[in-house]
Amino acid sequence: AQSVSQHNHHVILSEAASLELGCNYSYGGTVNLFWYVQYPGQHLQLLLKYFSGDPLVKGIKGFEAEFIKSKFSFNLRKPSVQWSDTAEYFCAVNGGGFKTIFGAGTRLFVKA
Amino acid sequence: DAGVTQSPTHLIKTRGQQVTLRCSPKSGHDTVSWYQQALGQGPQFIFQYYEEEERQRGNFPDRFSGHQFPNYSSELNVNALLLGDSALYLCASSRGDRENTEAFFGQGTRLTVV
């Protein structure tokens, strides 16, 4: 069965620090990969997605993610976080079919 | 261009009762997926509706059922509510005719079972 593992449940950073959130999935076939963000009081929004091609994907608000097929990973990065990046981040995988599997989420708090 | 809208936003029900949640998809979308998000967890896929039929289902009991209408809106029904059904229920819409497509989520319905 497909599964998604997010390594950190809570992350606290100071503004301007670099961010990397880990995501690993278990599925042997072709996958579509997503990072969603949920800001306080708002709905889930797509941050970035990988379907095929360049494994380094750039998303909104300066976020990027790298798909490493050999490691079954899709880690999210941002060189310098801002207070406004405080949110919950979800990694998600679709391995064919219509079902998308989400990780448990990582809560990021950025100190001003 | 309206996004995904869900109603109601909050709901309190008693154990054993039945509940119906509603979702209107984003304009131009014909596919609706439902997710359950328990506290501290990620969304879990319940099922997806396309062309008024359920086309994939997650690991949820038959107490969870749904419907899609000709205008693409959808309902999620849960019978014989259990305390463990308390969660945020999310609706996501997308275009079903595309293989690689992103989903847009609504704000969710917070269901509390007492």
Side-chain angles (χ1 to χ4, degrees):
Chain A
Q2 298 174 35
S3 66
V4 177
S5 175
Q6 292 186 239
H7 309 309
N8 310 96
H9 294 298
H10 294 90
V11 173
I12 301 174
L13 294 173
S14 297
E15 274 195 314
S18 64
L19 169 73
E20 180 160 1
L21 301 182
C23 173
N24 285 91
Y25 64 91
S26 65
Y27 184 72
T30 302
V31 291
N32 297 326
L33 299 159
F34 308 85
W35 275 97
Y36 283 87
V37 60
Q38 188 167 29
Y39 297 105
Q42 297 189 28
H43 59 276
L44 273 168
Q45 305 172 40
L46 184 68
L47 202 53
L48 49 78
K49 60 190 177 188
Y50 172 81
F51 289 153
S52 63
D54 189 344
L56 185 61
V57 179
K58 294 194 184 298
I60 60 171
K61 303 186 180 185
F63 286 90
E64 66 178 31
E66 185 176 12
F67 170 48
I68 303 179
K69 189 175 180 179
S70 61
K71 295 185 178 181
F72 299 91
S73 70
F74 190 55
N75 293 352
L76 181 70
R77 299 194 292 249
K78 185 171 184 178
S80 175
V81 294
Q82 301 172 319
W83 176 81
S84 58
D85 293 324
T86 293
E88 189 158 18
Y89 293 81
F90 293 93
C91 179
V93 173
N94 179 301
F98 309 106
K99 179 178 177 178
T100 298
I101 307 295
F102 283 78
T106 297
R107 290 197 173 189
L108 171 66
F109 179 73
V110 180
K111 296 184 290 184
Chain B
D1 180 22
V4 180
T5 58
Q6 293 186 242
S7 63
T9 53
H10 295 83
L11 203 51
I12 300 175
K13 288 287 189 178
T14 302
R15 193 170 43 182
Q17 285 188 314
Q18 179 263 346
V19 69
T20 297
L21 311 182
R22 295 176 176 84
C23 172
S24 292
K26 180 178 167 63
S27 177
H29 286 182
D30 56 6
T31 300
V32 172
S33 302
W34 286 93
Y35 291 83
Q36 181 194 67
Q37 186 176 13
L39 206 60
Q41 304 207 5
Q44 289 195 51
F45 178 81
I46 302 175
F47 42 54
Q48 185 182 90
Y49 275 83
Y50 174 66
E51 293 188 340
E52 301 180 50
E53 293 202 357
E54 180 186 296
R55 72 174 175 181
Q56 188 159 6
R57 188 179 183 91
N59 296 326
F60 280 81
D62 293 345
R63 298 187 298 108
F64 289 77
S65 63
H67 188 77
Q68 185 178 35
F69 299 93
N71 67 354
Y72 308 122
S73 67
S74 177
E75 289 181 349
L76 164 66
N77 301 292
V78 187
N79 294 322
L81 284 166
L82 303 173
L83 296 179
D85 295 330
S86 295
L88 181 68
Y89 288 85
L90 296 169
C91 169
S93 74
S94 56
R95 286 191 55 171
D97 60 336
R98 293 180 172 178
E99 186 174 333
N100 294 332
T101 182
E102 67 180 86
F104 289 77
F105 283 82
Q107 290 267 29
T109 294
R110 174 74 62 188
L111 172 65
T112 302
V113 182
V114 297

